[in-house]
Amino acid sequence: VLYGMPGFGYIITATFLPVIARQALPGSNWPDLFWPMFGAALIPGSLLAARMPVQWDTRTLLALCYLVQAAGIALGIVFPTAVGFALGSILIGLPFTAITLFAMREARRLHGEHAAGLMGYATAAYGVGQIAGPLVAAISFHVVAPSIVEVLGSWPRVSTVAPEWLVVIVAFEVLSFASAIRLQRIALRTDAWFSVATSQLAGNAMSQVVPGGAAAGATLQLRMLSQSGADTATAISGFTAFSLLQTASILFLPVLT
């Protein structure tokens, strides 16, 4: 899974990079250069990875490589300009072969002389990720894309908000999530915060982007809590209490106005 997910994640951006760039930069010659930039970045990335000490933790190095590639993908989305796509192409390509090196090194560390089988499974997982990526992207284009387009379309309006009010908005949004997580911890009768926070954020994100979002988000949140060790019956009753409190708060809003 650790090696298969990068194949899934990078394939969409890397494969359709020129197409995405041409749509963002119509009439520009820059899109033809982004693939060569991606390829050129492989060379210093490979040399740098080969020179890193063997005793360094390979899982940490893999995590850093994934973060670099994620930053490269994000650059093209947040800054759809020639500079954004150029830097994004370099960041995606830089750790490309390094990921393979570190993944195979980790397989050898885990299984020693018998690592060939694990290496084969990891390579197969990477290939499956490359195949599944475009298929999931095609489905997401019809299911998730409308929500993403709506969010990105609203981005220019952010510039009309005074910076000090942006700080206030972000602060209240953080307080809102913190309060919701705290309330869920009370409803679930647990002192754990990480599992409650991550499941709440994931469920909220799911509910915003898929059809029947509320049900899908609640299902995802319940599944994550169950996998973290929470009692399913307690979680369901906690969700019910939490939903009732939310509904009561919404009904009470007209009184305040």
Side-chain angles (χ1 to χ4, degrees), residues 186-206:
I186 295 173
L188 294 171
R189 292 175 291 197
T190 179
D191 294 327
W193 66 269
F194 183 79
S195 58
V196 175
T198 52
S199 63
Q200 198 274 339
L201 293 174
N204 184 70
M206 175 72 78

Side-chain angles (χ1 to χ4, degrees), residues 41-85:
L42 296 176
I43 300 173
S46 302
L47 296 175
L48 182 62
R51 291 181 177 275
M52 289 185 176
V54 179
Q55 62 268 25
W56 285 10
D57 184 47
T58 50
R59 288 171 295 183
T60 302
L61 294 174
L62 278 170
L64 291 174
C65 288
Y66 297 156
L67 287 174
V68 170
Q69 283 198 327
I73 294 172
L75 273 175
I77 297 174
V78 179
F79 302 106
T81 62
V83 175
F85 281 117

